[in-house]
Amino acid sequence: MAAVITSPLEFNVDDLYVDLEPSTGYAIALKVEGFNFGGSIKLKAATEMVEAREREGVLTPGDTLIESSSGNMGVALSVVAASRGYGFVCVTDDRCTTNARRLMETLGSTVHVVADRGGAGGLLAARLDRVRDLCATHEGYVWLNQYANPGNWGAHYRTTGPEIAKAFPDLDVLFIGAGTTGTLMGCARYFRDHQPSVRIVAIDSVGSVTFGGEPAPRLIPGLGTSVRPAILDETYVHEVIRVSEGDTVAMCHQLVRHGFVFGGSTGTVVHGAVQWMRRHGSADLTTVAIAPDFGTGYLDTVYHAAWLREAYT
């Protein structure tokens, strides 16, 4: 039967995997999470956090959602807000792609761009300060705070983790990118509770402070933070692999030569997974990596020769 939906939140492809062996030489199943109207895995968490606030009575008709985001969560919340009749204000920074900003504005959202890198905590701290200022001066603003909201990881405990477990009951290793750490914590908690033999490998960006690394400028939005997320609990993580932006770009271009146009976050995750497999992999391991988004939002950056030359030379 044909699928007929009345809301963009009803559509999400949750059982598609790409075999990465032809592209990378390693048998890794890549869970593709971008086939929804938000274009990324963030739609799951966005929906969960908004519905939780509705159940609590914190979010009521006429309110305006507000959130700090480097792009994907902002787009996801724009979709949720438009479908449920809320306003939405996204506070982002100048690394947010032009495509993401335009998409948010097309969906009716207001976008504030923060460009100050001078303070402690970098751009993320500056974004969070702007969110707090806007909430203090605007009645009816509801801040979801994805960095501390249990609904962020709860969405993946309820959906992403069980989806992977059903598809790969003999899973050995799961590779997950670390941004706000919602996907990481939700999946890690799920497997700790239901299949504790699964090894959880977090993939972070060089320059991120999430796992105590030295802070450094990062130009590709998505993974990594300049302020440690409150929802992170490292006891659920077995290993952390850090990937440089140069390796992220190289992997994105390697995948695109095989016809797969993935986003920067996915390039980072796949490179980290391949790096781990080079050291530990064997033909007997069942491994899965999670692809948060597609590359259509990165055509002006990761896939643009002039941007790459300016950014990295």
Side-chain angles (χ1 to χ4, degrees), residues 132 205-206 275:
R132 294 185 186 96
S205 300
V206 171
Q275 184 178 325

Side-chain angles (χ1 to χ4, degrees), residues 95 205 218-223 245 248-249 264-265 298 302 307 312:
R95 298 171 304 165
S205 300
R218 291 173 291 110
L219 302 179
I220 300 174
L223 300 188
E245 290 195 336
T248 291
V249 171
S265 297
Y298 298 80
V302 170
W307 184 88
Y312 297 110

Side-chain angles (χ1 to χ4, degrees), residues 199-235:
R199 186 171 187 83
I200 302 297
V201 180
I203 313 297
D204 198 11
S205 300
V206 171
S208 166
V209 305
T210 302
F211 294 96
E214 287 295 320
R218 291 173 291 110
L219 302 179
I220 300 174
L223 300 188
T225 64
S226 54
V227 177
R228 178 186 168 95
I231 60 174
L232 174 63
D233 184 342
E234 292 186 55
T235 64

